Amino acid sequence: MKKILIYSALAIIFSLNAQHKKTSLGLLTGYNGGFGIQPQLIIYNITKDVPMHLKISLGYTFLNPGNALDARRIFINDNTNGTPEKSGRNIDFHMDFMFPNELLNNSYLGFGPRYSSFKADYKFIGGNEFFDVVSQQWGLGIILGNFFKINKQLNMEFSVGADYYFPSTITGHDTSYSPDDDNINPRNDSQNNNEPYTYDDADNAINQPKFVPRLLFGLNFQL
């Protein structure tokens, strides 16, 4: 699926570039569920009849991956030994169809599909427990932004927006939890009559993307 997404984006880029469309490369940074960096490509005026631009971006975000002790219970076991260390990252692909806003100079409203690859890394130092929890999700998002011209080839961009990601399977070690609770090797909750943990339990413990507000700014260089 990721390969199909990448190939489709490249096909769009090559097709539009072949038509000699105006393009720019940019780099934004700011809040994207955590501190994020986002390189991007903007292709301007992709249609003749409707004023519309296309933005394709790939973000990398450092984030809080969730509750380490809960993750250990839900994906591994009830042991509590060791000192927990955790880190998280999310790689997201954005495609936005941008419509210029005539009410504000150089502003735009955009929306489009999202794809997320989330990874949480947990280590229990002294407890000999090291594991990752991962998920891949599709979503939809909306952005509102503005360009501020610096010179003929360089402009500054500010954007705010929000993304919503649909529930998806969460996998860690040899255990997976799915939104329909057709789970693989779920652990049992010793504090709840050994009832198996559910997808909601895993989703509450792990900070995979759900509703993600975004506030980014940076520079674009016209090619």
Side-chain angles (χ1 to χ4, degrees), residues 31-194:
Y31 183 80
N32 184 26
F35 174 73
I37 300 172
Q38 176 184 293
Q40 64 183 27
L41 170 71
I42 300 176
I43 305 172
Y44 298 89
N45 299 316
I46 61 173
T47 63
K48 293 182 179 179
D49 299 326
V50 179
M52 181 171 64
H53 314 317
L54 177 67
K55 177 190 288 192
I56 297 174
S57 57
L58 184 68
Y60 189 101
T61 303
F62 303 90
L63 46 74
N64 178 358
N67 189 299
L69 292 176
D70 286 349
R72 187 178 190 177
R73 283 192 290 268
I74 293 169
F75 288 92
I76 306 292
N77 53 44
D78 285 335
N79 293 341
T80 58
N81 59 319
T83 302
E85 293 184 358
K86 62 182 182 179
S87 62
R89 64 99 175 117
N90 190 52
I91 299 173
D92 53 76
F93 174 86
H94 289 204
M95 180 181 290
D96 286 293
F97 298 95
M98 304 162 58
F99 296 88
N101 184 349
E102 296 181 357
L103 298 178
L104 295 173
N105 289 335
N106 298 319
S107 68
Y108 66 85
L109 176 67
F111 66 90
R114 309 288 189 252
Y115 180 81
S116 162
S117 177
F118 167 84
K119 180 179 180 181
D121 178 65
Y122 297 101
K123 296 181 175 66
F124 286 81
I125 307 303
N128 196 31
E129 202 73 82
F130 309 93
F131 64 99
D132 296 330
V133 177
V134 299
S135 69
Q136 287 81 40
Q137 298 165 270
W138 287 97
L140 296 171
I142 186 170
I143 57 172
L144 176 65
N146 206 339
F147 297 107
F148 298 90
K149 193 175 185 64
I150 297 175
N151 57 41
K152 185 177 180 181
Q153 289 186 295
L154 193 66
N155 66 61
M156 181 177 293
E157 178 182 357
F158 289 88
S159 69
V160 296
D163 300 331
Y164 175 77
Y165 289 94
F166 302 105
S168 181
T169 298
I170 309 171
T171 302
H173 199 248
D174 59 352
T175 297
S176 294
Y177 295 93
S178 298
D180 60 359
D181 272 325
D182 184 16
N183 303 322
I184 298 174
N185 197 26
R187 300 299 192 253
N188 294 326
D189 185 354
S190 61
Q191 300 176 359
N192 187 27
N193 298 318
N194 281 325

